[in-house]
Amino acid sequence: MQTVETAKNYFESEGRIVPLADVRNIGIMAHIDAGKTTLTERILYYTGTNYKMGEVHNGTATMDWMIQEQERGITITSAATTCLWKKQKINIIDTPGHVDFTAEVERSLRVLDGAVAVFCAVGGVQPQTETVWRQSRKYNVPIIAFINKMDRTGADFKKVVEEIRSKLGATAVPLQLPIGAEENFDGVIDIIEKKAIYFDMETKGSEMIIKDVPEEFKEEVDIAFHYLIECLAEVDESILEYFLNDRIPDNILIKRAIRKSVMTNMIVPVLCGSAFKYKGVQPLLDCVVECLPSPADIWEIKGLLPDSGEPTSRHVGDDQPFSALAFKIMNDPFVGKLTFFRVYSGTVQRGMTVYNPRTQSRERLGRILQMHANHREERDAVYSGDIAAAVGLKNVVTGDTICIQNKPIILESMNFPDPVISMAVEPKSSGERDKLYNALGMLSDEDPTFIVKSDVETGQTIISGMGELHLEIIRDRLIREFNVEANTGKPQVAYRETVNGKSESNTKFVRQSGGRGQYGHVVIKMYATERGSGLVVENKITGGTIPKEYIKPVEKGITEAAASGVCAGYPVVDLRVEIIDGSYHPVDSSEFAFKIAGSMAFKDAARKAGMSILEPIMKVEINSPDENLGDLIGDITSRRGQVIEVDSQNNMARIIAHAPLAELFGYSTAIRSLSKGRASYSMEPSHFDRVTNEIQKQLLEKI
């Protein structure tokens, strides 16, 4: 993301309701149960979008519209909505906090200009917080931190601020201080204006009462103000001049410097409140419009030319060539396939024909909808900087660019993690077969981390996802949305294979069957590399012992052999293969022969180097009352887990451990039983590690 202090000249269409500079595209992101959806509900209420507030625990939250979300009290799919605050238009995407639905966060952050990161005042920086923070930094999304749940027992504002600095590596700068904490949390202090803000409970916080800062907080406010100026002086020359001359800049200059620092990711402003208790939401909205960028601030939108792959760019503005990124697919029971897209440049009207550079095809864009969770509002056109949904795009998938054909561009897409868990699925009756495969196809179109494939050897249909909950939701949706009854097998872990050392293979593929034969000769070296490095194939041939046209087939043979596995049928990773020598026959050599030779050489070298099976290891965080600590540690150890860290505060313990995914099936039931329902946990993929010799032997016996 590239930001500018003042937007350059751009054209705005007369059809616009809100000027481009007054638009904010933001996401609400956090660890599970930090209060994202509750915060969004309060925002919709205070901005007048909703006349009453929904609650997550009652299953009435606007943004949690899926029945699975309402039943479980968690966000599963990112939901988009629009509201107005002080004549500023804010497009909001509420994202899930559970790691199983990390793709929803990834694709939302790709198209957003800013984000509000919500932190629990008790839990602080939690595992999924770190994950979404890394995702936001990948796309350089400016962030405002909101420390929520200041009314909860154990709330500690200073501790969370320090964790943001130490664990996330961010320059966290408080713009507010809490007035009290836990049951005594009354309001917030604005450090810049040096005023105390209280929220009238009779109006559910709609009316704010402004007072002078209480005497006991004045020294703390002065220290926080001095720290703010010190941080701004490091990134803004105008503030630095005041700082060096020991003078105080005016508030307009301070706010301008804050905005500049936030948009360049130099600082993270920190605010606080309690969304559930109606405190701190309106000042957060003020900070969103004052500090986060508008689409006009992101002047240059970078991309590639489809034919040559050379860098190119677009500029913001309604008169520019149309370009947009499709970031989400959703199957709506009433209107069919919905394609959510963010317009980066130009304007698109209903019925317009758009071009997809990936498929090199044109499609007619039918209806255009402004989404409010699962409610729809018809639009005739959408403009540069807008987020909307289209009906009628049949061949567009997540990450596709849509543009005009005479000015094509491919915008930066998204990368999604590989699934870590699989299970077999089959229809309960032959009559359900087509319905099942159609439903799985639709769900796969929606979710890039949900993969459907057929096992060539067994003939089974295998579905893969990011975790048990992910596949459980898929199974539930098959029944409720698509009316498909299906049998599912036990979840299977996505194992990998790797080599133990280094080896060399000198392999010839020779076939003679009368007439022209087949001849391919390859010499390769193989080395084990560090975890997470994948497969690297490098051509080190000099002197033309193998002609150039046969090198690609050799590489293809190696990569295909690696994908199908050597000892147990799992993909082979974390190794380096060098093609160092070989020979060819002027008549009998062919691409096919060298591809087979490459595959044979790879398998031969792998067996010589020795093979090990790798399993996915999860990072597990458990929060529990102290009294259950021993039982939970004992249980995680019995699951071949390794406890990394144990922390205890306010009679609540936090355990961080690494454990194999294969041992964590059904863990939610076990943890409820051990803690009588009082403990909670979250987990995310950490790394792959070798299985024990005993387990490897068991896995090989199953083949």
Side-chain angles (χ1 to χ4, degrees), residues 7 23 28 49 52 66 110 144 209 242-243 267 272 322-323 408 457 506-507 542 559 624-625 627-628 630 654 692 696:
V23 174
I28 311 289
T49 305
K52 68 176 183 177
M66 289 176 67
R110 169 62 185 86
I144 295 170
I209 303 157
Y242 279 89
F243 183 73
I267 72 166
C272 61
F322 169 69
S323 66
E457 294 182 3
N506 186 333
T507 302
T542 55
T559 54
S624 165
E627 63 195 71
N628 304 118
R654 181 169 69 169
T692 63
Q696 179 156 328

Side-chain angles (χ1 to χ4, degrees), residues 41-54:
E41 289 298 315
R42 302 302 184 254
I43 289 172
L44 295 178
Y45 178 76
Y46 294 131
T47 56
T49 305
N50 285 355
Y51 70 92
K52 68 176 183 177
M53 288 184 248

